[in-house]
Amino acid sequence: MAGEGRSRRAPRGAWPESGRPGAGATVRSVAADLGVNTETLRNWIKAADGHRPGAHSAPPAAAQAELAAARKRIRELEEERDILRKAARYFATETRW
C-alpha cells in the first residue's frame, strides 16, 4: 500500500530529446503509466487547460461582460478625475489675493 500511486523517477538520460518529462508521450501511454483510463486523463487535461497560463480556451462570456463593464467604469472615473483637476486649477488661480 505505501508508495502506491507515486511516480517513479526516470533513470538518467531517459527523458525524450526535448529534455522535458513527458514530451512526445501520447495520452494513451501516460494513462497506462498512471493506471487510469485514457478518457479520464483527457478530462483532466481539459480541466487543467482553463487553469494554465496561456491556455487557448476563451474566458466565459460573463467574465468578458464584467471586464467590459469595469473598463467602462474606469474610463468614467478617469474623466471625472480630469474634470476635478481642471476645476481645482481654475479655482486655485481665481482666488489669489
Side-chain angles (χ1 to χ4, degrees), residues 9 14 20 28 46 49 56 63 66-68 70 74 76 80 93:
R9 291 182 67 114
R20 193 178 85 205
R28 182 177 288 164
K46 286 179 188 176
D49 263 347
H56 299 292
E66 185 178 347
L67 184 58
I74 289 170
E76 292 170 354
E80 290 175 10
T93 58

Side-chain angles (χ1 to χ4, degrees), residues 48-58:
D49 263 347
H51 302 293
R52 269 196 332 235
H56 299 292
S57 59

Side-chain angles (χ1 to χ4, degrees), residues 8-85:
R8 288 180 269 146
R9 291 182 67 114
R12 231 179 195 182
W15 299 126
E17 288 182 20
S18 69
R20 193 178 85 205
T26 63
V27 172
R28 182 177 288 164
S29 67
V30 173
D33 289 345
L34 294 174
V36 297
N37 187 308
T38 55
E39 289 306 310
T40 301
L41 182 58
R42 282 193 180 102
N43 290 338
W44 291 347
I45 292 169
K46 286 179 188 176
D49 263 347
H51 302 293
R52 269 196 332 235
H56 299 292
S57 59
Q64 289 280 14
E66 185 178 347
L67 184 58
R71 286 183 175 153
K72 181 180 178 186
R73 180 70 177 138
I74 289 170
R75 280 193 305 273
E76 292 170 354
L77 291 171
E78 287 173 342
E79 186 178 339
E80 290 175 10
R81 179 202 60 202
D82 293 341
I83 291 169
L84 289 171
R85 280 185 179 166

